[in-house]
Amino acid sequence: MAERKTVYIFGEVLFDHFPDGSRVLGGAPFNVAWHLQAFGQAPRLVSRVGRDPEGNEVRAAMEDWGLATGDLQIDPQRPTGRVAVSFAEGEPAYDIVADCAYDNIEPVAANACHLLYHGSLATRAAGSAAALRQLRASGPHTIFVDVNLRSPWWQQASVKALLHGAHWVKLNSDELELLAPDAAAAAAAADFLRRYNLRGLLVTHGARGAELLMATGERLQVAPAANKEVVDTVGAGDAFAAVMLLGLLHDWPMPVVLERAQQFAGALVGRRGATVSDPTFYGKFSRQWQLTD
């Protein structure tokens, strides 16, 4: 069996609070780590929670799922992250509470990091931004940036700084337009790929699917299956990103990666919430993709 590659996931862990009063544990980095753990990758989640009941729930959920908690920090003053989720015409909107525990992540020592995944939300505060810079400076073989532009918690200069030095970037079409406002629409993605010297750029288009542009010149597209039941779309992009990472770790051909990422994200939107606590949900994909013996 090939040696498992070390994966670090950096950023927010929080609870999404829905209009019906329910809560779902999430945050893009947490969701990605959850999926990767289910697929046998043992990621190291670098995040921070409060010394409060919800922080205890985060740790308990990670332990129950088998996720390592060694890099989950506890903040003695700030609360565990919280987001109020609302929906308009089926699309989620997010009210993200400021100055949470994940805004103050402290630096960690990265040991032989093969792949580093992080978003942009956790860099809204100076403490976590500094910890991420140190982690990136440790020399990961691959850096995957998942852009997450949530007003008012982003600035052009800081987000663009994250893109320099990245190898792979994922964003949606609206975010691409915000970060490249002067580019012609037809050429924006290709210009973006060249400007930041990326290996690959994944642009998602919601219900229309996604496209992947490669430094090699390839341009691949994938679309959801027709008539797929959608319960909610929260976490669909995180599911897609997790399988992208899985494909990079296993050196799958990119057309295969896109197909599998869309397949998994399509299954997830048929359930409430951004993660699934049933191992059998993941098991069928692991068997199809030959991740298990």
Side-chain angles (χ1 to χ4, degrees):
M1 181 180 293
E3 183 179 356
R4 181 186 288 151
K5 297 170 181 176
T6 305
V7 181
Y8 279 79
I9 308 293
F10 179 98
E12 66 271 14
V13 57
L14 48 82
F15 279 88
D16 289 320
H17 291 250
F18 290 88
D20 64 2
S22 63
R23 297 179 311 150
V24 176
L25 180 55
F30 178 87
N31 296 338
V32 169
W34 185 275
H35 297 318
L36 288 179
Q37 177 65 26
F39 289 131
Q41 301 309 301
R44 298 183 62 169
L45 177 64
V46 181
S47 191
R48 194 172 178 93
V49 295
R51 195 183 298 278
D52 53 27
E54 290 198 330
N56 294 338
E57 289 183 53
V58 172
R59 181 173 294 274
M62 289 177 64
E63 291 174 345
D64 288 345
W65 197 240
L67 269 168
T69 58
D71 294 303
L72 181 68
Q73 304 167 12
I74 298 176
D75 194 301
Q77 297 177 322
R78 296 173 179 83
T80 299
R82 177 190 175 109
V83 174
V85 182
S86 59
F87 293 91
E89 298 182 354
E91 290 298 317
Y94 308 91
D95 179 14
I96 306 170
V97 175
D99 197 25
C100 292
Y102 68 76
D103 290 311
N104 197 40
I105 299 172
E106 296 179 350
V108 298
N111 299 315
C113 176
H114 179 83
L115 192 156
L116 169 62
Y117 165 98
H118 69 83
S120 54
L121 178 60
T123 63
R124 65 181 180 173
S128 291
L132 177 60
R133 284 194 298 271
Q134 182 169 317
L135 189 53
R136 285 179 56 139
S138 68
H141 177 270
T142 301
I143 298 175
F144 189 111
V145 177
D146 195 343
V147 175
N148 188 10
L149 305 184
R150 303 296 185 195
S151 296
W153 306 118
W154 70 279
Q155 296 179 333
Q156 285 270 358
S158 59
V159 173
K160 289 181 177 180
L162 296 176
L163 301 175
H164 288 289
H167 303 106
W168 296 82
V169 169
K170 171 185 165 290
L171 41 59
N172 63 40
S173 52
D174 292 335
E175 290 165 337
L176 176 61
E177 185 175 350
L178 287 170
L179 293 174
D182 299 326
D191 290 346
F192 194 95
L193 181 79
R194 288 191 295 269
R195 181 182 308 154
Y196 295 104
N197 194 28
L198 304 174
R199 296 175 192 164
L201 172 66
L202 178 69
V203 183
T204 60
H205 298 281
R208 294 185 291 115
E211 60 180 331
L212 177 66
L213 284 76
M214 304 284 293
T216 58
E218 288 183 277
R219 190 166 190 149
L220 306 171
Q221 294 182 316
V222 67
N227 302 319
K228 187 72 178 178
E229 180 186 4
V230 176
V231 174
D232 77 56
T233 59
V234 174
D238 305 335
F240 204 111
V243 179
M244 283 288 297
L245 299 182
L246 195 62
L248 294 175
L249 291 167
H250 288 275
D251 298 317
W252 294 341
M254 278 300 138
V256 173
V257 175
L258 277 190
E259 282 185 24
R260 291 176 176 177
Q262 185 62 65
Q263 179 189 14
F264 181 63
L268 189 77
V269 298
R271 293 169 173 257
R272 166 60 69 91
T275 59
V276 178
S277 299
D278 179 5
T280 62
F281 175 80
Y282 297 92
K284 63 182 179 181
F285 295 104
S286 294
R287 290 189 295 273
Q288 290 173 10
W289 302 341
Q290 298 183 342
L291 295 173
T292 57
D293 297 332

